[in-house]
Amino acid sequence: MQLLALAFLAAAPAVAAPDAEIRAAAERITPAVVAVRRDLHAHPELSNREERTGHLVAERLRDLGLEVRYPVAKTGVVGILRGGRPGGVVALRADIDALPIDETSDLPFRSQAKGVMHACGHDAHTAMLLGAAEVLVGLRARLPGTVVFLFQPAEEGAPEGEEGGAPLMVREGALDDPKVEAVFGLHVGSWASVGQAGWSDGPIFASSDTFTIAVEGKTVHGAQPHMGLDPIPVAAEMVQALQLIVSRQIDGRQPRVLTIGRIQGGTRFNIIADRVTMDGTVRTHDATVRAEIKARMARTVKGVAEAHGTTATLRFLDEGNPPTVNDAALAKAVGVPALQRVFGAGAVRVEPQMVAEDFPFFGQKAPYFYFLLGTRNDAKGIGSVNHTATFDVDEDALPLGVRALATLAWDFLRAGGRRGAGMAPR
Ligand SMILES: [Zn+2]
Ligand SMILES: [Zn+2]
């Protein structure tokens, strides 16, 4: 019985999925997808300020005949495509924001917004998801269920003091009506070449928590430190002690990184500083390890400060990003087979990375599968890493991304939604 069910899952999509139609449609609309990507690239907008982008997406989805909710989570858009046949509900997600980076390339469609750049490829994500919507609209009459398109703002982090991103999409009910049963998403990058897709059936991205530490001292002449309270050696000890958490207190088999990226204190060589502040990031692939490190950090900061008669505060900037951990059953039943059909031998299992995403917040509502789309092309000189001023994507990857997204949605619905994909209800 079990074997029969598995055989059905393995065989059914290969027979029934309209792979050739999806491929032909994706290739036919590639010039339009490229044009949208270039337009977005030329007009990048920072997190929670994606006014033009959100408007463009909403208009495009309305033109395609989708139900549109806009704005959601400030500047985001939710598009709903109801297929001609009954079935489950699947969501596809793209993030839409850019970064505060000054683009240095001489591309004809380089950023026209000074100091703002699509340096993480979210322009490509948005264009590909619009492309997938168009492809699936073409198959609407046969589509066995509903596809929800999530265009999410502020993946790179809302400005301080503002809400935003995936958590706000979730709080505003983007996955609730209709109730989404699974979410698929991707990220472009130069870690793989065009034609490749990287997948995992477990962790793929890390958690990330941004923190700031303030050590309070008492300023005095640099010749008489005993009359004040010098926070600089205390901060130095704290940096060392925090590294001992990740190197000595956490199981060595668990990936984890603790980085202090900024340290600041003092005004002059012969004046004891009154305060030192430090900013950093913590990354793991496991929710338990993440909580453990954060608790130990609090203990360490307090303990080191107290040992020297100073006070210090540790503050995490916001709720942080959970680790991105793919649902193993969804990966096996839908995610990996779909990528193997689109990318052939180019679909490869990848080791989890230490970069992070806010995508896993969607996991509060439904299981998910997230994969990496290779956009590197050494022959074209495209290889800069994400978040740099020369980042670019090989646009030959765009039709592959469109096909992958459309195929994942189709396969999930074709398999009969969550139950058909062999996943426990929750
Ligand atoms: Zn990024
Ligand atoms: Zn990104």
Side-chain angles (χ1 to χ4, degrees):
M1 185 62 205
Q2 184 121 26
L3 275 174
L4 267 177
L6 284 174
F8 168 78
L9 280 174
V15 174
D19 286 355
E21 285 173 81
I22 287 175
R23 179 178 189 152
E27 283 168 4
R28 179 168 43 76
I29 65 169
T30 293
V33 173
V34 168
V36 169
R37 184 253 159 173
R38 292 183 178 192
D39 177 64
L40 294 174
H41 193 88
H43 302 96
E45 295 172 304
L46 292 174
S47 304
N48 275 359
R49 303 292 181 269
E50 307 93 333
E51 302 289 343
R52 180 184 183 276
T53 308
H55 187 76
L56 181 151
V57 167
E59 284 299 295
R60 183 76 194 114
L61 294 179
R62 283 192 191 106
D63 288 348
L64 286 171
L66 269 62
E67 290 172 40
V68 174
R69 287 174 59 196
Y70 170 72
V72 176
K74 296 184 193 288
T75 57
V77 189
V78 175
I80 300 166
L81 173 65
R82 295 184 200 273
R85 291 160 55 196
V89 181
V90 63
L92 302 174
R93 174 270 205 170
D95 39 12
I96 65 175
D97 56 328
L99 283 159
I101 292 176
D102 215 5
E103 183 162 22
T104 57
S105 81
D106 52 4
L107 296 167
F109 51 92
R110 69 180 169 275
S111 171
Q112 293 175 23
K114 180 84 184 136
V116 185
M117 176 189 174
H118 267 297
C120 203
H122 301 181
D123 50 343
H125 298 173
T126 306
M128 288 188 288
L129 189 53
L130 285 172
E134 184 167 355
V135 168
L136 289 167
V137 162
L139 298 167
R140 185 175 202 158
R142 281 177 285 155
L143 187 66
T146 299
V147 186
V148 175
F149 298 88
L150 305 168
F151 291 88
Q152 178 216 304
E155 189 284 320
E156 301 288 359
E160 201 170 352
E162 292 183 27
E163 294 186 288
L168 192 56
M169 295 279 285
V170 170
R171 277 200 289 278
E172 292 194 4
L175 277 66
D176 295 340
D177 182 25
K179 196 166 165 16
V180 169
E181 297 173 341
V183 188
F184 294 94
L186 62 77
H187 208 299
V188 299
S190 51
W191 46 69
S193 295
V194 64
Q196 290 187 309
W199 57 266
S200 164
D201 54 6
I204 186 159
F205 275 6
S207 63
S208 72
D209 290 286
T210 309
F211 62 87
T212 182
I213 296 170
V215 186
E216 307 295 340
K218 184 167 171 258
T219 183
V220 71
H221 195 294
Q224 299 158 319
H226 65 288
M227 296 179 69
L229 213 47
D230 190 351
I232 285 184
V234 179
E237 193 173 318
M238 228 171 252
V239 171
Q240 301 291 345
L242 290 168
Q243 290 309 320
L244 293 183
I245 296 175
V246 290
S247 68
R248 304 286 86 182
Q249 298 177 27
I250 300 296
D251 188 329
R253 292 166 296 184
Q254 290 286 350
R256 71 276 184 202
V257 167
L258 189 157
T259 292
I260 305 259
R262 190 191 69 88
I263 180 162
Q264 194 165 30
T267 54
R268 198 170 189 275
F269 75 94
N270 62 353
I271 301 175
I272 298 294
D274 61 349
R275 188 168 210 257
V276 172
T277 57
M278 302 181 269
D279 299 332
T281 180
V282 188
R283 280 134 197 269
T284 72
H285 285 141
D286 180 272
T288 308
V289 174
R290 178 189 181 205
E292 199 176 326
I293 292 180
K294 288 171 79 173
R296 287 170 184 270
M297 286 175 70
R299 188 183 72 176
T300 298
V301 166
K302 187 166 179 284
V304 171
E306 276 178 0
H308 301 289
T310 57
T311 55
T313 52
L314 165 68
R315 188 170 64 92
F316 287 93
L317 242 41
D318 50 33
E319 56 199 311
N321 294 317
T324 304
V325 182
N326 283 337
D327 185 280
L330 183 64
K332 183 168 181 244
V334 177
V336 178
L339 294 185
Q340 285 171 338
R341 296 211 310 285
V342 173
F343 295 89
V348 291
R349 184 195 286 269
V350 289
E351 291 297 316
Q353 322 254 324
M354 294 315 291
V355 295
E357 249 279 14
D358 71 358
F359 182 81
F361 278 100
F362 295 118
Q364 293 173 354
K365 294 284 181 177
Y368 58 80
F369 177 80
Y370 183 89
F371 69 99
L372 310 179
L373 179 68
T375 52
R376 181 188 192 97
N377 191 326
D378 292 331
K380 295 181 184 173
I382 298 172
S384 295
V385 297
N386 300 52
H387 290 214
T388 63
T390 51
F391 179 75
D392 192 15
V393 302
D394 183 1
E395 291 169 337
D396 286 349
L398 299 182
L400 290 166
V402 170
R403 284 170 60 195
L405 290 166
T407 304
L408 287 163
W410 182 277
D411 283 8
F412 180 79
L413 297 177
R414 174 68 185 76
R418 185 198 294 271
R419 190 166 301 168
M423 298 155 62
R426 71 175 197 186

